[in-house]
Amino acid sequence: MRRSMIALTATLLTALLAISDPVQAQFNMPRPSPKASVTQTIGLTDVSISYSRPGVKNRTIWGELVPFGKVWRLGANEATIITLGDDVTIEGQPLARGSYSLHAIPTPEEWTIIFNKVAEQWGSYNYKQEEDALRVTVKPEAGPFVERMLFTFDDITDESALVTLAWEKLRVSFKVGVNTQGKVINSAKATLSPRALFFAAQYAYQNNVELDQAARWLDASIALEENYQNLSFKAGLLAKAGNRKEAVKLGEKALALGKAAQRVPPDLAAFEKQVLEWKKR
């Protein structure tokens, strides 16, 4: 009887362990510093930041929880990672495309922002300065209270953006610059699409870059396919250069194509008035 009870108990324990193991494997709970990510397209370049968001939780952050003069992981848990879709500049200094762990050495007066080649690492505990790809210095600023640390992209243009860390009552920013103009120009050089050539020419004129090349792109677009967009744009350039006779000639051709299109261009009426003005002068 005793042997039977021992055997039954062993069987029950084995069954319980078999049941409890999967239950234990499924157990999970939220991190005190939850994961977050933010991605911003700057011009034609994607920049992403993956990080964990620690909270203030009534603690003294700067100089205590985050000591001054020591390397900090710019977050919690794993090191914060920044991924650059193309070569960029950081505060005017070049940095190649790729993924980097992001660290900082904060002081009350200035911060050293560090881009380290070892992207995957736990915090800054195994950080090695010899693996740095770039260091820049920036000034911290006072800001509104933020309970959980936050990365944002601010002052976004086609050519740059500010990456801002905000936590407690402090803000720290560094500028990311991108070569949007170069990417547009290179893209145009690789295409024979009349639409792409026109938009590349328009972009170059509007940004006052590669003007000789822009003229060739516009002429190539017209040679491949005459349409309202490229003809009206060329007419405007001719009028601006003082050649109103050719501007009127090209403008009237553009108007005819615009009126015959399935979708009437939204600026057709305004352009027609412009052509009439050219005729009067």
Side-chain angles (χ1 to χ4, degrees), residues 227-240 243-259 267-281:
N227 56 52
Y228 170 78
Q229 283 78 18
N230 56 25
L231 290 180
S232 62
F233 190 73
K234 180 67 179 284
L237 294 176
L238 289 170
K240 189 176 181 180
N243 191 349
R244 293 189 181 87
K245 183 178 179 180
E246 287 298 317
V248 168
K249 182 179 176 181
L250 214 58
E252 289 179 337
K253 185 182 285 190
L255 287 171
L257 290 172
K259 291 174 181 178
D267 65 334
L268 185 66
F271 182 69
E272 190 166 21
K273 288 181 181 180
Q274 184 66 74
V275 173
L276 289 173
E277 288 294 321
W278 294 338
K279 286 182 178 180
K280 292 177 183 178
R281 297 178 184 178

Side-chain angles (χ1 to χ4, degrees), residues 126-256:
N126 296 313
Y127 161 82
K128 295 179 180 178
Q129 184 173 344
E130 57 266 29
E131 297 289 347
D132 287 352
L134 179 66
R135 286 185 169 205
V136 298
T137 56
V138 294
K139 299 289 186 182
E141 297 178 350
F145 180 83
V146 175
E147 170 63 31
R148 286 202 176 274
M149 197 194 81
L150 178 67
F151 276 102
T152 59
F153 288 86
D154 305 305
D155 298 342
I156 302 162
T157 71
D158 285 346
E159 298 294 331
S160 66
L162 288 180
V163 174
T164 300
L165 177 148
W167 194 24
E168 201 248 4
K169 294 182 179 180
L170 201 70
R171 291 167 57 90
V172 181
S173 301
F174 59 86
K175 187 174 183 177
V176 179
V178 297
N179 185 20
T180 300
Q181 291 183 354
K183 293 195 72 175
V184 171
I185 301 305
N186 290 334
S187 176
K189 290 176 180 177
T191 182
L192 288 176
S193 160
R195 181 178 175 84
L197 288 167
F198 163 68
F199 282 124
Q202 185 184 52
Y203 176 87
Y205 277 113
Q206 289 173 346
N207 289 276
N208 198 35
V209 294
E210 298 276 356
L211 297 183
D212 291 340
Q213 181 65 70
R216 290 192 288 271
W217 287 331
L218 184 56
D219 289 340
S221 175
I222 293 170
L224 287 169
E225 177 189 87
E226 291 186 349
N227 56 52
Y228 170 78
Q229 283 78 18
N230 56 25
L231 290 180
S232 62
F233 190 73
K234 180 67 179 284
L237 294 176
L238 289 170
K240 189 176 181 180
N243 191 349
R244 293 189 181 87
K245 183 178 179 180
E246 287 298 317
V248 168
K249 182 179 176 181
L250 214 58
E252 289 179 337
K253 185 182 285 190
L255 287 171

Side-chain angles (χ1 to χ4, degrees), residues 73 79-82 99-103 114-121 123 127:
R73 57 187 147 186
T80 293
I81 296 176
I82 185 168
S99 293
Y100 302 88
S101 57
L102 202 54
H103 310 261
I114 303 168
F115 298 80
N116 189 269
K117 297 174 186 177
V118 182
E120 302 284 346
Q121 53 181 298
Y127 161 82

